[in-house]
Amino acid sequence: MNNLTKIKIEKPTSEVFEAFVDPSKIGNFWFSSSSERWEQGKTITLIYEEYNAQLDIHVLKVEKDKEIIFQWGPIDENYIVTITLSELDHTTSIVTVNEEGFKETDNHFVQRLIDDKEGWVFMLTCLKAYLESGVTDLRTGLVKD
Amino acid sequence: MNNLTKIKIEKPTSEVFEAFVDPSKIGNFWFSSSSERWEQGKTITLIYEEYNAQLDIHVLKVEKDKEIIFQWGPIDENYIVTITLSELDHTTSIVTVNEEGFKETDNHFVQRLIDDKEGWVFMLTCLKAYLESGVTDLRTGLVKD
C-alpha cells in the first residue's frame, strides 16, 4: 500500500526542485538542516532540531526539475519516497509525494500510514506557503505528543 | 478509532475561535462558505466550491474560545469532530481536532482515516498561515484525483 499526496504550487518546477535539493532552503519549510546538496547516490543526513529527530536518506535517483527518489527508514523496511514535479504551465507545478513500502501485516501499519500522511501534507503545505508567499515559520507548528 | 491532529498557532484562542464560527472568515483557510454563524444546536451548510463539495454539519456544542463539537457525514455513521482550543499563554494557542466514529469493520476504514487526516492537517496548516501571516490562498492547493 502507498501513501500519495499532491499539491499545486504557483511556481515553476525549477524552484520547487531547488527547495528540496539545496540545503540552504530546506529549513524554510521542512527539516532544520540537510547535510549537503541532494544528488543521486548520496546519503544525506536530515535533522529536525525542534522534534529531536535525525535520519539518513539514500538518494536513489535525481532528475533535475522532474523527480527525486530516496529510501528512508530502517534499511530492512525499505520505504521508498518518490517526489514528482510536473509543470501545468510555466508558473504552476503539481508536486506529488508517493511513499511506498507499507506492509499490511505490520502491527503499526495504520498508525504509520497516518503519521506519514500527516507529515507529507504538512510539509507540502509549508512548501507552498514558503514558495508562494515567503512564509517560513510554519514548519515547527505541528504538535506531536 | 480516532483521528487526532494538533497545531500551535501564535494567536490567542479568541481569534482562532472566531476563524471557525464567523462565516466571513472560513473562506480564508477552509471551506469557501459557511451558511451562518456556528452556534450550539444549529445545522450549518458548508460549501467547498473548488472541490464541488457541499455538506451539513450539526453543531452539538459551542463553548466560546474553548470548544466546538459537531457531527458530520452520513447520519447513520455518526462521525463526531471535536475542536479544542487551549491557550499556552495570551498569544499562543494549541488547536486540537479529534474526529471519532471510525469503524475498523468498515471496508473503507483505512482510506477514510487517511483522507480525513489529510484534510485536518491541511486545514490546520492553512489556518495557521492565515492567522499568523495573513496568507489566504493556500486552501485550494490540495489536488484530489
Side-chain angles (χ1 to χ4, degrees):
Chain A
M1 186 152 177
N2 65 336
N3 207 340
L4 188 81
T5 311
K6 275 190 193 188
I7 205 161
K8 188 173 64 178
I9 297 183
E10 306 290 339
K11 288 291 172 186
T13 52
S14 56
E15 284 190 43
V16 180
F17 179 81
E18 283 300 315
F20 286 109
V21 304
D22 180 345
S24 74
K25 295 187 172 163
I26 205 162
N28 292 312
F29 68 99
W30 194 6
F31 289 90
S32 40
S33 72
S34 168
S35 58
E36 56 182 313
R37 188 173 173 86
W38 295 19
E39 287 171 354
Q40 195 161 314
K42 279 189 183 170
T43 295
I44 309 287
T45 300
L46 299 171
I47 295 176
Y48 222 133
E49 263 177 30
E50 297 81 357
Y51 298 104
N52 276 320
Q54 175 173 332
L55 78 159
D56 284 348
I57 63 166
H58 308 287
V59 182
L60 305 177
K61 183 181 172 193
V62 171
E63 193 179 348
K64 187 173 159 34
D65 303 344
K66 289 190 176 161
E67 193 174 57
I68 301 164
I69 304 179
F70 61 86
Q71 185 265 330
W72 74 349
I75 193 76
D76 55 329
E77 294 192 4
N78 207 31
Y79 287 88
I80 303 288
V81 177
T82 301
I83 301 173
T84 308
L85 312 178
S86 60
E87 209 156 70
L88 280 186
D89 54 51
H90 293 309
T91 59
T92 308
S93 302
I94 302 291
V95 186
T96 305
V97 173
N98 189 30
E99 183 176 18
E100 295 172 285
F102 299 93
K103 290 172 198 70
E104 297 190 30
T105 50
D106 178 350
N107 285 338
H108 306 291
F109 164 64
V110 174
Q111 197 56 53
R112 170 115 199 192
L113 263 179
I114 291 172
D115 285 350
D116 285 15
K117 169 56 87 174
E118 175 168 285
W120 295 122
V121 175
F122 186 59
M123 177 276 281
L124 287 172
T125 313
C126 293
L127 174 64
K128 181 175 171 69
Y130 160 52
L131 290 177
E132 292 182 354
S133 307
V135 175
T136 60
D137 49 5
L138 295 175
R139 54 175 281 284
T140 59
L142 214 54
V143 179
K144 311 286 282 183
D145 59 19
Chain B
M1 185 153 178
N2 64 336
N3 207 341
L4 188 80
T5 312
K6 274 191 194 186
I7 206 162
K8 188 174 63 178
I9 297 182
E10 306 290 339
K11 289 291 172 186
T13 53
S14 55
E15 284 190 44
V16 180
F17 179 82
E18 282 301 315
F20 285 109
V21 303
D22 180 345
S24 74
K25 294 186 172 164
I26 204 161
N28 292 311
F29 69 99
W30 194 7
F31 289 91
S32 40
S33 71
S34 168
S35 57
E36 55 182 314
R37 188 174 173 86
W38 295 20
E39 287 171 353
Q40 195 161 315
K42 279 190 184 170
T43 295
I44 309 287
T45 300
L46 299 171
I47 295 176
Y48 222 133
E49 263 177 30
E50 298 82 357
Y51 298 104
N52 276 319
Q54 174 173 332
L55 78 159
D56 285 347
I57 64 166
H58 308 286
V59 182
L60 305 177
K61 183 181 171 192
V62 170
E63 193 178 348
K64 187 173 158 33
D65 302 345
K66 288 190 176 162
E67 192 175 56
I68 300 164
I69 304 179
F70 61 86
Q71 185 266 332
W72 73 350
I75 193 78
D76 55 330
E77 294 191 5
N78 207 30
Y79 287 88
I80 303 289
V81 177
T82 302
I83 301 172
T84 309
L85 313 179
S86 60
E87 209 156 70
L88 279 185
D89 54 51
H90 293 308
T91 59
T92 308
S93 303
I94 301 291
V95 186
T96 304
V97 174
N98 188 29
E99 183 177 18
E100 295 171 286
F102 300 92
K103 290 172 196 71
E104 296 190 31
T105 50
D106 178 352
N107 285 338
H108 305 290
F109 164 64
V110 174
Q111 197 56 53
R112 170 115 201 192
L113 262 179
I114 291 172
D115 286 350
D116 285 15
K117 168 57 86 174
E118 176 168 284
W120 295 123
V121 175
F122 186 59
M123 177 276 281
L124 287 172
T125 313
C126 293
L127 174 65
K128 181 176 172 70
Y130 160 52
L131 290 177
E132 292 182 354
S133 307
V135 175
T136 59
D137 50 5
L138 294 175
R139 55 175 281 283
T140 59
L142 214 53
V143 179
K144 311 287 282 183
D145 59 17

PDB file of all heavy atoms in Angstrom, chain A residues 14-25:
ATOM      1  N   SER A  14      11.399  24.272 -11.460  1.00  0.00           N
ATOM      2  CA  SER A  14      12.806  24.507 -11.101  1.00  0.00           C
ATOM      3  C   SER A  14      12.922  25.077  -9.683  1.00  0.00           C
ATOM      4  O   SER A  14      13.834  24.717  -8.934  1.00  0.00           O
ATOM      5  CB  SER A  14      13.459  25.452 -12.112  1.00  0.00           C
ATOM      6  OG  SER A  14      12.717  26.648 -12.197  1.00  0.00           O
ATOM      7  N   GLU A  15      11.984  25.923  -9.300  1.00  0.00           N
ATOM      8  CA  GLU A  15      12.035  26.494  -7.942  1.00  0.00           C
ATOM      9  C   GLU A  15      11.654  25.462  -6.881  1.00  0.00           C
ATOM     10  O   GLU A  15      12.212  25.442  -5.786  1.00  0.00           O
ATOM     11  CB  GLU A  15      11.101  27.708  -7.818  1.00  0.00           C
ATOM     12  CG  GLU A  15      11.678  28.939  -8.487  1.00  0.00           C
ATOM     13  CD  GLU A  15      10.884  30.204  -8.163  1.00  0.00           C
ATOM     14  OE1 GLU A  15      10.487  30.413  -7.007  1.00  0.00           O
ATOM     15  OE2 GLU A  15      10.652  30.999  -9.097  1.00  0.00           O
ATOM     16  N   VAL A  16      10.703  24.615  -7.221  1.00  0.00           N
ATOM     17  CA  VAL A  16      10.292  23.566  -6.280  1.00  0.00           C
ATOM     18  C   VAL A  16      11.443  22.567  -6.098  1.00  0.00           C
ATOM     19  O   VAL A  16      11.789  22.180  -4.973  1.00  0.00           O
ATOM     20  CB  VAL A  16       9.021  22.837  -6.786  1.00  0.00           C
ATOM     21  CG1 VAL A  16       8.609  21.750  -5.790  1.00  0.00           C
ATOM     22  CG2 VAL A  16       7.874  23.824  -7.016  1.00  0.00           C
ATOM     23  N   PHE A  17      12.064  22.199  -7.201  1.00  0.00           N
ATOM     24  CA  PHE A  17      13.189  21.257  -7.167  1.00  0.00           C
ATOM     25  C   PHE A  17      14.309  21.790  -6.264  1.00  0.00           C
ATOM     26  O   PHE A  17      14.812  21.080  -5.382  1.00  0.00           O
ATOM     27  CB  PHE A  17      13.705  21.038  -8.592  1.00  0.00           C
ATOM     28  CG  PHE A  17      14.867  20.109  -8.700  1.00  0.00           C
ATOM     29  CD1 PHE A  17      14.678  18.726  -8.703  1.00  0.00           C
ATOM     30  CD2 PHE A  17      16.167  20.595  -8.807  1.00  0.00           C
ATOM     31  CE1 PHE A  17      15.771  17.858  -8.806  1.00  0.00           C
ATOM     32  CE2 PHE A  17      17.256  19.743  -8.907  1.00  0.00           C
ATOM     33  CZ  PHE A  17      17.055  18.365  -8.911  1.00  0.00           C
ATOM     34  N   GLU A  18      14.677  23.028  -6.456  1.00  0.00           N
ATOM     35  CA  GLU A  18      15.767  23.624  -5.661  1.00  0.00           C
ATOM     36  C   GLU A  18      15.424  23.671  -4.171  1.00  0.00           C
ATOM     37  O   GLU A  18      16.311  23.523  -3.324  1.00  0.00           O
ATOM     38  CB  GLU A  18      16.116  25.034  -6.165  1.00  0.00           C
ATOM     39  CG  GLU A  18      16.943  25.037  -7.443  1.00  0.00           C
ATOM     40  CD  GLU A  18      18.293  24.325  -7.290  1.00  0.00           C
ATOM     41  OE1 GLU A  18      18.990  24.540  -6.284  1.00  0.00           O
ATOM     42  OE2 GLU A  18      18.641  23.523  -8.197  1.00  0.00           O
ATOM     43  N   ALA A  19      14.159  23.884  -3.865  1.00  0.00           N
ATOM     44  CA  ALA A  19      13.753  23.932  -2.447  1.00  0.00           C
ATOM     45  C   ALA A  19      14.099  22.620  -1.746  1.00  0.00           C
ATOM     46  O   ALA A  19      14.523  22.613  -0.580  1.00  0.00           O
ATOM     47  CB  ALA A  19      12.266  24.232  -2.327  1.00  0.00           C
ATOM     48  N   PHE A  20      13.950  21.496  -2.449  1.00  0.00           N
ATOM     49  CA  PHE A  20      14.281  20.192  -1.857  1.00  0.00           C
ATOM     50  C   PHE A  20      15.787  19.929  -1.823  1.00  0.00           C
ATOM     51  O   PHE A  20      16.317  19.496  -0.805  1.00  0.00           O
ATOM     52  CB  PHE A  20      13.599  19.053  -2.638  1.00  0.00           C
ATOM     53  CG  PHE A  20      12.120  18.933  -2.389  1.00  0.00           C
ATOM     54  CD1 PHE A  20      11.204  19.275  -3.372  1.00  0.00           C
ATOM     55  CD2 PHE A  20      11.649  18.463  -1.168  1.00  0.00           C
ATOM     56  CE1 PHE A  20       9.834  19.154  -3.139  1.00  0.00           C
ATOM     57  CE2 PHE A  20      10.284  18.338  -0.927  1.00  0.00           C
ATOM     58  CZ  PHE A  20       9.373  18.689  -1.920  1.00  0.00           C
ATOM     59  N   VAL A  21      16.468  20.171  -2.918  1.00  0.00           N
ATOM     60  CA  VAL A  21      17.864  19.701  -3.022  1.00  0.00           C
ATOM     61  C   VAL A  21      18.902  20.657  -2.446  1.00  0.00           C
ATOM     62  O   VAL A  21      19.994  20.235  -2.090  1.00  0.00           O
ATOM     63  CB  VAL A  21      18.238  19.354  -4.497  1.00  0.00           C
ATOM     64  CG1 VAL A  21      17.269  18.310  -5.075  1.00  0.00           C
ATOM     65  CG2 VAL A  21      18.337  20.590  -5.386  1.00  0.00           C
ATOM     66  N   ASP A  22      18.562  21.939  -2.342  1.00  0.00           N
ATOM     67  CA  ASP A  22      19.518  22.938  -1.857  1.00  0.00           C
ATOM     68  C   ASP A  22      19.442  23.015  -0.326  1.00  0.00           C
ATOM     69  O   ASP A  22      18.412  23.395   0.227  1.00  0.00           O
ATOM     70  CB  ASP A  22      19.154  24.297  -2.482  1.00  0.00           C
ATOM     71  CG  ASP A  22      20.084  25.417  -2.048  1.00  0.00           C
ATOM     72  OD1 ASP A  22      20.839  25.246  -1.064  1.00  0.00           O
ATOM     73  OD2 ASP A  22      20.031  26.492  -2.685  1.00  0.00           O
ATOM     74  N   PRO A  23      20.534  22.650   0.370  1.00  0.00           N
ATOM     75  CA  PRO A  23      20.488  22.613   1.848  1.00  0.00           C
ATOM     76  C   PRO A  23      20.206  23.977   2.481  1.00  0.00           C
ATOM     77  O   PRO A  23      19.788  24.025   3.639  1.00  0.00           O
ATOM     78  CB  PRO A  23      21.887  22.132   2.246  1.00  0.00           C
ATOM     79  CG  PRO A  23      22.566  21.707   1.002  1.00  0.00           C
ATOM     80  CD  PRO A  23      21.849  22.281  -0.172  1.00  0.00           C
ATOM     81  N   SER A  24      20.400  25.056   1.749  1.00  0.00           N
ATOM     82  CA  SER A  24      20.123  26.371   2.340  1.00  0.00           C
ATOM     83  C   SER A  24      18.630  26.699   2.316  1.00  0.00           C
ATOM     84  O   SER A  24      18.195  27.691   2.881  1.00  0.00           O
ATOM     85  CB  SER A  24      20.903  27.468   1.607  1.00  0.00           C
ATOM     86  OG  SER A  24      20.321  27.722   0.345  1.00  0.00           O
ATOM     87  N   LYS A  25      17.847  25.881   1.646  1.00  0.00           N
ATOM     88  CA  LYS A  25      16.415  26.183   1.510  1.00  0.00           C
ATOM     89  C   LYS A  25      15.503  25.301   2.348  1.00  0.00           C
ATOM     90  O   LYS A  25      14.395  25.703   2.692  1.00  0.00           O
ATOM     91  CB  LYS A  25      16.014  26.089   0.030  1.00  0.00           C
ATOM     92  CG  LYS A  25      16.708  27.165  -0.779  1.00  0.00           C
ATOM     93  CD  LYS A  25      16.261  27.251  -2.208  1.00  0.00           C
ATOM     94  CE  LYS A  25      16.888  28.505  -2.833  1.00  0.00           C
ATOM     95  NZ  LYS A  25      16.848  28.497  -4.286  1.00  0.00           N
TER      96      LYS A  25
END
